[in-house]
């Protein structure tokens, strides 16, 4: 039998391992590669001559594999697939698993019995909480395409929650990284790809991130993958640090005079609905928008937080015109271009836009009761009730500690 040599490169050096070179038919049958021609499939197999890796973590034994051990884990997974074992439909890779939305998707998928693998960037503080939950953690970086292929071995569905960090250029992860991920997913025969986008991204080409999301949607459509694009409006969780905490700490709250309305949604609801989409063929190759029950302006959110906190906020209003001017100013310097790109949302805020959409058809498609979706009032009320209760307990303990004998 013909043998293929795999050279895996890592910090521990180079390791050559040999596995049987698979017949063309096995490549097609077991989802290892689904190119449109024999030439493309042969080219893909050739690309496996060199795999780059960091380390793999096995949730069952809580073991981290490095060097040749990690290489062998990857090769064993490939060899298993080539031997005729179909990829399980319950195997999911969550990209960006440590983020606000990603961690909720991981937790929900584990609760529903999925075998979850998490792709996270190498970091000083490991994502131990994901392993504690029962997920498998693999190190990878969308800005380094060579780290991607090994993370996709044995995966049925990819759920892409990743986004670039504030300090890095938007294009690095949100465009170049996503293109690399989609290309690898196509080559590896991934059965379904879920991509999170932004509502109305196709209507605001002047905003770099929204334009990149639109381009990624189009690239995914043309890739030949089975996909579902989920456009989001806003996260309720983001309002805690932006408004709730500053009000409780009597710090300044920053707002704008824009009339923009956003239908915020609980990320737990987004995760629950996402898991429903991957179980039904009705969502294949479709665009869905997830929106909360009601769209809110910044002023309305601040007023709600004031009422639930029982105290007034120190609101500092920034006119949208100032944001727009700041963006133009930062455009003058190359080292502030990334700041200017993020300030581009001021262009959206300056218009009377509504980030919301009717959800009747989406709820019907997914078989979900709208009453099960959390409202912003209920979400913030639960937060303030919990925090205020803890503050009272801490105050009571403080008073008890004032007695001396």
């Amino acid at each position: 039998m013909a043998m293929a040599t795999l050279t895996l490169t890592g910090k521990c050096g180079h390791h050559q391992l040999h596995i049987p070179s698979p017949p063309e038919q096995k490549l097609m049958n077991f989802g290892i590669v689904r190119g449109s021609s024999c030439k493309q499939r042969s080219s893909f197999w050739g690309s496996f001559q060199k795999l780059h890796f960091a380390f793999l973590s096995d949730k069952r034994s809580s073991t981290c594999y490095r060097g040749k051990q990690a290489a062998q884990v990857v090769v064993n997974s490939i060899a298993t697939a080539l031997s005729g074992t179909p990829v399980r439909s319950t195997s999911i890779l969550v990209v960006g698993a440590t983020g606000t939305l990603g961690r909720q998707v991981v937790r929900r998928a584990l609760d529903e019995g999925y075998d979850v693998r998490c792709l996270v960037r190498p970091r000083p503080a490991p994502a131990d909480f994901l392993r504690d939950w029962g997920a498998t953690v693999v190190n990878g970086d969308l800005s380094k395409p060579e780290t991607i292929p090994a993370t996709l071995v044995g995966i049925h569905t990819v759920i892409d929650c990743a986004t670039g960090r504030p300090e890095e250029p938007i294009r690095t992860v949100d465009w170049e990284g996503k293109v690399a991920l989609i290309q690898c997913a196509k080559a590896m025969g991934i059965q379904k790809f879920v991509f999170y986008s932004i509502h109305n991204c196709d209507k605001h080409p002047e905003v770099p991130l929204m334009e990149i999301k639109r381009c990624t949607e189009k690239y995914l459509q043309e890739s030949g993958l089975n996909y579902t694009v989920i456009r989001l409006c806003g996260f309720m969780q983001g309002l805690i640090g932006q408004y709730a905490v500053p009000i409780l700490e009597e710090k300044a709250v920053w707002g704008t005079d824009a009339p923009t309305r956003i239908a915020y949604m609980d990320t737990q609801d987004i995760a629950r609905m996402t898991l429903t989409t991957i179980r039904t063929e009705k969502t294949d190759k479709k665009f869905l928008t997830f929106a909360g029950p009601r769209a809110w302006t910044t002023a309305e959110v601040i007023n709600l937080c004031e009422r639930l906190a029982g105290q007034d906020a120190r609101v500092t209003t920034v006119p949208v015109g100032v944001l727009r001017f700041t963006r133009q100013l930062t455009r003058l310097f190359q080292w502030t271009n990334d700041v200017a790109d993020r300030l581009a949302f001021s262009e959206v805020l300056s218009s009377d836009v509504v980030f919301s959409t009717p959800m009747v058809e989406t709820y019907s498609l997914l078989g979900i009761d709208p009453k099960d979706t959390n409202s912003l009032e209920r979400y913030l009320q639960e937060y303030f009730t919990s925090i205020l209760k803890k503050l009272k307990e801490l105050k009571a303990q403080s008073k008890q500690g004032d007695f001396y004998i």
Side-chain angles (χ1 to χ4, degrees):
M1 180 180 291
M3 302 292 287
T5 300
L6 302 183
T7 302
L8 296 102
T9 305
K11 293 180 179 179
C12 300
H14 301 272
H15 307 286
Q16 286 192 339
L17 298 163
H18 305 279
I19 63 171
S21 181
E24 184 66 26
Q25 190 59 41
K26 281 191 176 182
L27 284 176
M28 298 173 65
N29 289 346
F30 300 108
I32 300 304
V33 58
R34 297 178 183 275
S36 59
S37 67
C38 291
K39 182 178 180 181
Q40 288 178 335
R41 289 191 288 271
S42 298
S43 173
F44 168 77
W45 181 245
S47 70
F48 266 99
Q49 301 305 304
K50 189 173 184 180
L51 290 177
H52 295 254
F53 65 92
F55 70 82
L56 300 174
S57 174
D58 189 331
K59 70 178 182 181
R60 290 165 296 183
S61 60
S62 299
T63 303
C64 288
Y65 299 99
R66 297 180 183 275
K68 191 168 183 177
Q69 283 184 310
Q72 192 64 61
V73 171
V74 174
V75 172
N76 288 346
S77 298
I78 297 174
T80 299
L82 296 177
S83 67
T85 303
V87 173
R88 296 191 306 274
S89 61
T90 54
S91 60
I92 295 176
L93 175 70
V94 179
V95 185
T98 58
T100 303
L101 177 57
R103 64 182 62 201
Q104 296 296 346
V105 172
V106 171
R107 192 62 182 264
R108 183 75 191 193
L110 290 169
D111 288 345
E112 294 189 11
Y114 285 88
D115 185 11
V116 182
R117 185 183 301 170
C118 303
L119 189 157
V120 300
R121 298 192 200 192
R123 53 203 295 169
D128 290 336
F129 69 95
L130 296 172
R131 281 187 282 270
D132 292 341
W133 290 350
T136 299
V137 176
V138 294
N139 271 8
D141 192 335
L142 295 188
S143 65
K144 298 177 181 177
E146 68 272 13
T147 67
I148 300 175
T151 68
L152 293 170
V153 175
I155 293 298
H156 180 278
T157 300
V158 171
I159 302 179
D160 176 19
C161 310
T163 190
R165 294 167 177 165
E167 67 273 11
E168 62 189 353
I170 292 175
R171 289 181 59 88
T172 302
V173 170
D174 289 284
W175 172 245
E176 296 168 0
K178 298 305 178 74
V179 167
L181 178 62
I182 292 169
Q183 288 175 341
C184 287
K186 172 64 177 176
M188 296 289 284
I190 295 301
Q191 302 296 301
K192 191 157 188 175
F193 194 105
V194 178
F195 173 65
Y196 289 111
S197 188
I198 301 175
H199 181 50
N200 283 339
C201 63
D202 52 331
K203 297 179 181 179
H204 297 281
E206 74 279 6
V207 180
L209 180 58
M210 297 182 82
E211 176 64 5
I212 285 175
K213 290 289 188 183
R214 182 194 70 80
C215 291
T216 308
E217 291 177 352
K218 185 177 180 181
Y219 189 83
L220 183 58
Q221 278 183 290
E222 296 173 351
S223 69
L225 283 168
N226 179 26
Y227 65 87
T228 299
V229 172
I230 300 175
R231 290 180 168 181
L232 304 175
C233 298
F235 300 158
M236 292 181 185
Q237 279 72 10
L239 301 177
I240 299 300
Q242 195 171 0
Y243 302 115
V245 172
I247 289 175
L248 287 172
E249 294 181 350
E250 299 182 355
K251 295 181 179 179
V253 175
W254 296 87
T256 69
D257 55 357
T260 307
R261 308 184 74 88
I262 301 175
Y264 299 100
M265 199 169 194
D266 191 336
T267 53
Q268 293 187 32
D269 287 330
I270 295 173
R272 174 171 56 91
M273 294 170 68
T274 298
L275 269 294
T276 302
T277 66
I278 69 175
R279 288 194 297 268
T280 173
E281 295 180 358
K282 295 178 181 179
T283 62
D284 291 351
K285 297 187 176 180
K286 288 188 179 297
F287 281 66
L288 305 175
T289 297
F290 290 175
R294 173 187 165 185
W296 298 74
T297 65
T298 299
E300 289 172 340
V301 173
I302 292 175
N303 289 337
L304 176 61
C305 290
E306 287 178 320
R307 177 167 58 83
L308 294 174
Q311 61 190 65
D312 294 334
R314 292 168 48 200
V315 182
T316 301
T317 301
V318 180
V320 173
V322 173
L323 293 177
R324 185 179 298 174
F325 172 77
T326 305
R327 184 196 176 198
Q328 296 301 322
L329 183 63
T330 53
R331 276 288 183 202
L332 298 176
F333 307 98
Q334 184 176 359
W335 56 275
T336 56
N337 274 343
D338 297 331
V339 176
D341 287 344
R342 298 183 188 281
L343 284 172
F345 276 103
S346 64
E347 302 294 332
V348 180
L349 295 175
S350 63
S351 57
D352 191 6
V353 229
V354 177
F355 281 90
S356 183
T357 191
M359 289 285 289
V360 177
E361 291 185 11
T362 303
Y363 284 133
S364 175
L365 178 69
L366 300 178
I368 291 176
D369 188 344
K371 295 179 181 177
D372 294 335
T373 303
N374 205 2
S375 67
L376 183 60
E377 297 100 320
R378 185 162 60 243
Y379 174 79
L380 288 176
Q381 185 171 23
E382 290 175 355
Y383 172 79
F384 278 106
T385 299
S386 174
I387 291 299
L388 292 175
K389 181 180 179 181
K390 289 181 180 179
L391 289 175
K392 288 180 180 178
E393 291 174 353
L394 289 173
K395 189 175 181 180
Q397 291 175 3
S398 177
K399 287 183 178 180
Q400 291 175 0
D402 288 340
F403 291 97
Y404 299 91
I405 298 178

